[in-house]
Amino acid sequence: MTDTELTVLREDGATRGRYVIHLAPGYEAEMTFRKAADGTITVDHTGVPPEYERRGIAAKLVNKAIADAREQGFKIVPVCSYVVAQFRRHPEWADLRAAQ
């Protein structure tokens, strides 16, 4: 599987959603979120199957959420430890972090 084959999709429900990458039959990586009335999303979980770890897949999920937040004007509350760490590593994302 090459990097160009990893497409991040966004699935939205009424109160929850997720970013997902379908890796292979039966395997997917996901980053789930809850929606607030003000449009803010709270990212509460990121998961990548062990067979696919250390390939930058979780980072692709976060980067897509960041791109969407910039394009669509919403803020993110990082609760998932991975996303919290990514916000620390990327101070240029500070304007997208919602106050908790």
Side-chain angles (χ1 to χ4, degrees):
M1 174 173 298
T2 66
D3 193 49
T4 57
E5 295 171 336
L6 299 177
T7 302
V8 180
L9 304 173
R10 180 174 170 175
E11 299 174 350
D12 282 293
T15 60
R16 298 192 56 80
R18 72 179 187 153
Y19 288 89
V20 62
I21 299 173
H22 298 285
L23 301 165
Y27 292 93
E28 63 183 24
E30 71 172 0
M31 184 176 73
T32 60
F33 60 88
R34 295 184 313 267
K35 297 177 180 180
D38 65 359
T40 300
I41 68 167
T42 300
V43 177
D44 52 17
H45 170 74
T46 303
V48 176
E51 300 87 345
Y52 292 91
E53 289 178 348
R54 304 206 184 280
R55 297 185 191 187
I57 293 170
K60 283 185 136 326
L61 295 167
V62 177
N63 288 334
K64 177 64 172 148
I66 292 297
D68 284 355
R70 289 229 183 274
E71 180 180 302
Q72 299 167 20
F74 62 82
K75 302 256 184 199
I76 298 171
V77 177
V79 174
C80 164
S81 60
Y82 178 79
V83 180
V84 168
Q86 289 302 307
F87 266 86
R88 279 192 204 119
R89 288 185 185 110
H90 294 278
E92 69 274 18
W93 297 351
D95 63 313
L96 299 176
R97 186 176 190 141
Q100 292 178 299

